[in-house]
Amino acid sequence: MTELPDGTEHHRYLIIGAGPAGLQLSYYLQQAGSDYLTLERAASPGEFFRRFPRHRRLISLNKVHTTSTDPEIRLRWDWNSLLHEPADLPFSDYSREYFPSADDLVRYLGDFAQHHRLAIRYDTTVERVEKTDDGFLVRAGGRLLHADCVVVAAGWGPPNVPDVRGIEHAVGYEDMSTDPADYADQRVLILGKGNSGFETASAILGHAAMIHLASPRPMRLAWNTKHPGDVRGHHGAVLDSYQFKTLHAVLDCVIDEIRPVGDKYEVHLTYTHADGETAVMEYETVLRCTGFAMDTSMFAENCRPARVPSGRLPATRTDWQSVDVDGLYFAGTLAQDRDFKKASSAFIDGFRYNLRTLTALLRERYEGAPLPYEKVEADAETLTGVVLDRVNWSSALWTQFEFLCDVIVVDPGAGGARHYQDLPEDHAVERFGGESHYYTFSLRWGRDAYVDVFAVERHPQPDRAAESAFIHPVVRRYRGGELVEELHLLEDLLAEWRRPDRHVQPLLDFFAADLGR
């Protein structure tokens, strides 16, 4: 046991950060009666959203008007509400806009924390996190705290600054003017082709004389990748301007140097797809919109977590724990490396479900609470009903497609099967790798390379369901860690997978044949 100085405050869980992820995890631990404390350096929740996005319009959908009255189904298109029961504090009470204002989210987060009386200590900066034999020592706000487990939900830290000669001459996204008039008649280079770059370009499109967005790799359009963090369709005016020869352009190139010359900047670049062609372009303004990185300054040497190759995110295990620091977990935007640029773990609508699962995993480890499951009969008809009920109803499987799944573990010795909900599939395979017969089921997109995603040839025959391009259910059979069989069910325009010929019978046949072996 670690000898602690007198006056050291102890909690089982310390959460760092009271943004959306910190609030969601705090809510779940509080509902479970767990001993936790959340530390927040600002005076109120959601500090990041007081500044970002700079032009104050979120890219998270707020679809208020739907055909369903079921709160669970409605969450599929409500990307801002935190999960809570009863759902008496929906984000739709704060904004009716399809793309709401960040100011509305800040108000919502503050009210959520107050409404649930979460244990948050504000105006408390975490200065140091140190690993001990039995947990962590955390120095914060002039006090010393000890915890069995630390969960970092602090969100993004400093700007991600690319290694470019002369990058200091670029104005950062965090500091740039948001008044479009300040760019009137200017030639503007925007470094970065993500949503912050396109957000900025969209805002100044009617004022700047020329806008170039530049990065080495081609832009990723959300309608191709299905990832909400890629460039969204409402920035289409920028792309139109490029194709309609207005001198606005989207460039795939490496920026070699930014050099001030008088009141302008000479930018030396090498095109990515032009046989090594180089160019020197002149701009009045260069803006850096290259995202953010993780802040590691709080970690002592003995618990500085490993990061992914880019250095921007921590590398995590299948339970969102650091790959090399036992007991150090990550939540929210920082915990997206395993489904990076795929599902929605970087956003509220995705990580709110991850955190519900993380709470169960933490309580299993630190409180001895068994991971919950439902016991079901292991026959084809029952399992077909379980799968179709879940894929037609669950907002977690809908939002966290290709990442979260349900698991059915067939257990002949005990009779029946165990049904677990909302586990990361890589965690499920790791956890149940010793089982000889289990299934995962989730929702997946067709991942073929379509020339035009708006003109996909469809094949509405059940035996060709694996060619479905739209989101659809997929059931996988595992033996230990080996994937041995996979069944796709046909896509459906309204996401209703209950047709007897297309969904029910193929699934019944699959289970009947497999269980009969």
Side-chain angles (χ1 to χ4, degrees):
M1 293 288 291
T2 303
E3 287 290 330
L4 300 176
D6 290 342
T8 302
E9 181 180 351
H10 175 80
H11 294 278
R12 175 164 280 148
Y13 309 104
L14 279 180
I15 302 170
I16 300 175
L23 297 185
Q24 185 70 89
L25 183 58
S26 298
Y27 168 80
Y28 276 121
L29 289 174
Q30 182 158 295
Q31 290 299 105
S34 301
D35 173 24
Y36 79 96
L37 178 67
T38 299
L39 306 174
E40 170 55 48
R41 65 183 176 185
S44 56
E47 182 65 17
F48 180 86
F49 291 99
R50 294 181 186 277
R51 291 194 64 201
F52 303 106
R54 294 299 313 281
H55 294 91
R56 311 309 293 147
R57 191 61 55 188
L58 298 174
I59 61 171
S60 49
L61 302 186
N62 181 41
K63 188 179 178 185
V64 176
H65 305 286
T66 74
T67 58
S68 177
T69 58
D70 186 324
E72 177 73 12
I73 296 292
R74 292 172 67 87
L75 279 169
R76 293 181 171 190
W77 307 296
D78 170 1
W79 292 9
N80 301 284
S81 289
L82 297 179
L83 302 180
H84 59 293
E85 294 181 5
D88 53 358
L89 197 70
F91 183 77
S92 57
D93 286 353
Y94 291 77
S95 174
R96 312 294 285 182
E97 296 294 320
Y98 195 67
F99 292 107
S101 167
D103 298 327
D104 295 325
L105 181 60
V106 171
R107 290 192 300 115
Y108 171 75
L109 296 175
D111 287 354
F112 185 92
Q114 280 195 318
H115 182 74
H116 295 290
R117 299 182 180 180
L118 302 178
I120 303 172
R121 188 170 294 166
Y122 296 107
D123 297 311
T124 304
T125 299
V126 174
E127 294 107 15
R128 199 74 169 162
V129 178
E130 302 174 23
K131 190 78 175 72
T132 67
D133 293 338
D134 56 353
F136 298 85
L137 278 178
V138 177
R139 302 177 188 278
R143 305 180 69 170
L144 188 62
L145 301 98
H146 179 264
D148 302 330
C149 167
V150 168
V151 184
V152 180
W156 289 122
N160 175 53
V161 181
D163 184 15
V164 172
R165 188 181 305 143
I167 191 64
E168 67 275 11
H169 301 299
V171 180
Y173 176 72
E174 67 280 6
D175 295 321
M176 69 184 188
S177 169
T178 57
D179 183 354
D182 288 342
Y183 304 95
D185 301 319
Q186 292 189 18
R187 295 166 293 179
V188 179
L189 173 64
I190 298 174
L191 304 181
K193 297 201 296 276
N195 271 298
S196 62
F198 273 85
E199 166 204 337
T200 302
S202 294
I204 66 176
L205 189 62
H207 295 74
M210 184 176 75
I211 302 169
H212 288 170
L213 295 101
S215 70
R217 290 179 291 277
M219 65 182 170
R220 291 164 56 98
L221 296 171
W223 58 60
N224 287 327
T225 66
K226 311 301 186 289
H227 178 61
D230 289 329
V231 178
R232 304 284 287 280
H234 62 281
H235 294 310
V238 177
L239 300 178
D240 280 354
S241 297
Y242 178 26
Q243 299 298 332
F244 290 155
K245 306 178 294 297
T246 65
L247 299 185
H248 302 312
V250 179
L251 309 178
D252 293 351
C253 64
V254 173
I255 303 300
D256 300 310
E257 183 179 4
I258 303 168
R259 181 183 301 171
V261 178
D263 59 353
K264 298 178 179 61
Y265 297 98
E266 281 186 357
V267 176
H268 297 246
L269 56 87
T270 302
Y271 291 107
T272 307
H273 314 293
D275 298 327
E277 180 188 6
T278 62
V280 179
M281 306 290 292
E282 279 194 348
Y283 303 95
E284 279 74 30
T285 297
V286 180
L287 302 175
R288 170 176 42 77
C289 297
T290 49
F292 298 88
M294 173 188 177
D295 183 2
T296 61
S297 63
M298 73 179 83
F299 298 106
E301 281 300 322
N302 71 351
C303 67
R304 183 159 291 140
R307 287 173 283 174
V308 299
S310 71
R312 297 179 60 193
L313 293 166
T316 59
R317 304 179 197 176
T318 66
D319 59 354
W320 297 286
Q321 184 178 191
S322 168
V323 296
D324 60 348
V325 182
D326 184 59
L328 179 64
Y329 292 78
F330 293 89
T333 296
L334 292 180
Q336 59 169 299
D337 70 308
R338 298 203 328 280
D339 65 329
F340 185 68
K341 294 290 186 181
K342 294 177 182 175
S344 295
S345 290
F347 305 94
I348 293 173
D349 65 311
F351 64 61
R352 61 190 178 189
Y353 303 105
N354 295 354
L355 294 175
R356 184 166 63 189
T357 299
L358 175 60
T359 301
L361 297 178
L362 291 176
R363 296 193 65 238
E364 180 185 40
R365 174 178 179 179
Y366 291 99
E367 301 177 49
L371 188 68
Y373 66 86
E374 179 185 4
K375 194 167 184 179
V376 298
E377 295 298 321
D379 61 80
E381 186 172 352
T382 298
L383 297 189
T384 295
V386 168
V387 171
L388 293 183
D389 284 349
R390 283 285 291 164
V391 297
N392 279 282
W393 182 73
S394 168
S395 60
L397 297 181
W398 174 270
T399 303
Q400 288 296 70
F401 57 86
E402 302 174 14
F403 183 64
L404 294 184
C405 68
D406 278 18
V407 185
I408 297 172
V409 181
V410 178
D411 189 356
R418 306 189 306 274
H419 174 207
Y420 299 85
Q421 296 183 4
D422 301 339
L423 295 177
E425 188 158 12
D426 56 359
H427 180 77
V429 173
E430 180 181 276
R431 172 181 282 265
F432 301 114
E435 302 283 351
S436 62
H437 194 160
Y438 64 99
Y439 304 93
T440 68
F441 61 91
S442 61
L443 294 172
R444 310 185 79 85
W445 290 89
R447 289 300 187 184
D448 291 342
Y450 305 108
V451 175
D452 183 348
V453 295
F454 297 107
V456 177
E457 289 291 326
R458 295 176 56 249
H459 305 286
Q461 296 85 37
D463 61 348
R464 300 188 71 173
E467 299 173 56
S468 294
F470 196 60
I471 195 167
H472 62 282
V474 177
V475 183
R476 290 176 164 177
R477 159 75 193 279
Y478 285 90
R479 182 184 298 116
E482 180 188 5
L483 174 62
V484 295
E485 199 165 0
E486 184 174 273
L487 174 72
H488 292 246
L489 298 180
L490 274 172
E491 61 196 351
D492 184 85
L493 179 63
L494 301 180
E496 295 173 357
W497 300 287
R498 291 198 183 275
R499 284 185 56 165
D501 57 335
R502 294 188 175 190
H503 308 117
V504 180
Q505 195 60 51
L507 192 51
L508 275 170
D509 293 344
F510 173 80
F511 281 127
D514 195 64
L515 292 168
R517 292 173 186 168

